[in-house]
Amino acid sequence: MNNIIILLSNIINVILPVLLSIAFIVLIERKILGYMQLRKGPAIVGPYGIIQTVADGIKLFIKENLKPLSATPALFFFSPALFLILALLLWTIIPCNNPLININLSLLLILGISSLSVYSLLGSGWASNSKYSLIGGIRAVAQTISYEISIGTILLSIIILSGTFNLNSIINSQNNSWFLFSCLPLSYIWFISTLAETNRTPFDLTEGESELVSGYNVEYAGGPFALFFLAEYANIIFINTLTSIIFLGGNLPINLFPINIINIAIKTAILSSIFLWIRASFPRFRYDQLMFLNWKSYLPFSIGILIWNIIIINIINNIPTNTF
C-alpha cells in the first residue's frame, strides 16, 4: 500500500509541474507575440492575464464533445488521449532527484516512446473519416518520421562522443565543455529539427490553415482538442529540456545554481523563448522545402558527421597510451 502511495505521489509530482509549465508557456507565448507583433495579448482574466490559460482550458473541457457521425468512436477519442499519455510518459525519464524511470538506456527509451506519437496523429486523422483530417495525418506522420531520422543520427554522434545512453552520464561528460561548442553544426541542425518535430513555426505544416483547415485535428473540439493542445506544448517543453541536457549539460561556471534540475529548467526556459521568438519572426515553409531541407541537407550532413566521429574515436582508441 505504501509503495502504491509513493508511486502515485511521484506521478503527481511529474504531471502537475508539466501542466503548470504548459499554462505558463502558453501565457508567455501570447504575451511575446502580442509585444513583437504589436497586438494586445491576454490582459483581462486575472492580474496581467495570468489566469487566461486556465480559463481557456476550463472552457475547452466544459464544451460539448462533437464527433462526426461517420467517425470511428473508439479510435477517435483514444488518439488524443494516447498523444497526451506519451507526452507525459517522456517526462518520467528526465533525470531529477527521484525519477520514476531510471535506466542506463534512457536515451534509447526516449526515442522509442517519442516515435509512438505518430500512431496517435495518423489514428486521429483516419478515425475522423474526413479527407482533410486524413491528408493532415499523413503529412504529420511523414514530417515526424523524416525529422526523427535526423534527430536519431545526431543522438548517435552524441552517444559515441559521451560513450553512454544515460542522460545523467551525458550531463557529467560535459563538465569541461558543452557539446554546443564541440558539436556546433550538429546543435544547429538539432535545434531546427526539433522545431519540425514539434510542428512549430515555420514548420507547422501539419496544421496549415490555408491548405488543410487545421490538419489532422480538424474534426476535434472541446476536451479531445485540449488533449492535443496539452500534448503539443508538453512535447515542446520536453524537447527543449532534452536539448539543454544533451548540448548544455555539465557543471560549468555559467550555471546559476548548484542543482542540476534548476540549471536545466533555466536553460529550457531560454530555449522555449527562442521557439516563441521564431514563431513571431518567420513565415511558414512550403512542404517540399521542408522535406528537401531534411532529406537532401540535414540527413546527409548528420550521417557524414557520424561517420567522422566514429573514425576519430576509433583512431583515438587505437593509439597506444605510452605515446602521450
Side-chain angles (χ1 to χ4, degrees):
M1 187 65 182
N2 292 332
N3 293 332
I4 296 176
I5 294 176
I6 294 174
L7 179 61
L8 291 176
S9 64
N10 289 334
I11 293 174
I12 293 174
N13 289 335
V14 170
I15 293 177
L16 189 59
V18 173
L19 295 179
L20 291 176
S21 300
I22 292 171
F24 177 75
I25 193 175
V26 171
L27 176 65
I28 293 300
E29 179 179 27
R30 297 179 68 177
K31 289 287 188 181
I32 289 178
L33 292 178
Y35 284 116
M36 295 189 69
Q37 299 179 350
L38 298 179
R39 57 182 184 178
K40 291 184 179 181
I44 297 176
V45 184
Y48 302 102
I50 293 177
I51 315 178
Q52 180 68 55
T53 307
V54 180
D56 290 339
I58 295 175
K59 179 191 72 174
L60 283 173
F61 280 106
I62 64 177
K63 285 179 66 176
E64 180 183 2
N65 291 327
L66 301 177
K67 179 186 71 67
L69 293 176
S70 57
T72 306
L75 188 58
F76 183 83
F77 290 109
F78 175 72
S79 295
L82 176 63
F83 199 28
L84 181 60
I85 290 172
L86 293 175
L88 295 177
L89 188 60
L90 288 170
W91 282 95
T92 61
I93 312 172
I94 291 297
C96 57
N97 294 333
N98 295 307
L100 287 178
I101 300 176
N102 186 14
I103 59 175
N104 289 327
L105 300 177
S106 52
L107 200 55
L108 191 61
L109 183 59
I110 288 174
L111 285 175
I113 295 176
S114 61
S115 63
L116 293 176
S117 62
V118 298
Y119 292 101
S120 60
L121 299 179
L122 186 59
S124 61
W126 179 80
S128 299
N129 200 17
S130 167
K131 293 181 180 179
Y132 291 106
S133 298
L134 182 59
I135 294 174
I138 293 173
R139 281 172 52 144
V141 170
Q143 176 178 333
T144 302
I145 291 177
S146 297
Y147 280 86
E148 274 182 358
I149 298 174
S150 293
I151 287 176
T153 308
I154 295 171
L155 287 179
L156 283 177
S157 294
I158 300 299
I159 291 167
I160 290 173
L161 294 175
S162 60
T164 179
F165 285 88
N166 189 276
L167 293 179
N168 280 314
S169 300
I170 292 175
I171 292 174
N172 296 330
S173 65
Q174 300 177 68
N175 286 334
N176 297 322
S177 175
W178 283 344
F179 283 144
L180 174 68
F181 303 127
S182 56
C183 304
L184 184 60
L186 287 182
S187 62
Y188 172 79
I189 294 175
W190 169 273
F191 186 76
I192 301 301
S193 297
T194 56
L195 285 171
E197 183 70 13
T198 53
N199 300 326
R200 294 294 293 177
T201 307
F203 306 111
D204 56 338
L205 294 164
T206 60
E207 301 173 2
E209 297 90 351
S210 59
E211 43 192 304
L212 293 178
V213 199
S214 192
Y216 63 89
N217 57 5
V218 65
E219 300 293 347
Y220 285 89
F225 176 81
L227 296 182
F228 277 121
F229 184 85
L230 291 173
E232 181 178 344
Y233 277 87
N235 285 329
I236 291 171
I237 302 173
F238 173 80
I239 202 69
N240 285 321
T241 303
L242 188 61
T243 302
S244 64
I245 290 173
I246 293 175
F247 290 101
L248 300 171
N251 297 316
L252 296 181
I254 196 173
N255 289 343
L256 302 178
F257 297 93
I259 304 175
N260 269 336
I261 193 66
I262 299 180
N263 288 315
I264 292 173
I266 294 173
K267 297 164 188 173
T268 302
I270 295 173
L271 291 172
S272 299
S273 300
I274 297 175
F275 264 51
L276 306 181
W277 185 5
I278 290 173
R279 178 179 178 181
S281 305
F282 291 94
R284 183 179 294 135
F285 275 36
R286 292 201 319 264
Y287 196 78
D288 62 311
Q289 293 174 332
L290 171 74
M291 289 303 184
F292 180 90
L293 182 66
N294 179 69
W295 290 104
K296 293 191 177 182
S297 180
Y298 286 173
L299 185 58
F301 183 80
S302 58
I303 292 176
I305 294 294
L306 174 61
I307 296 173
W308 171 259
N309 288 332
I310 293 173
I311 293 173
I312 294 299
I313 293 298
N314 285 333
I315 292 174
I316 294 175
N317 291 335
N318 292 329
I319 295 178
T321 56
N322 56 12
T323 59
F324 292 95

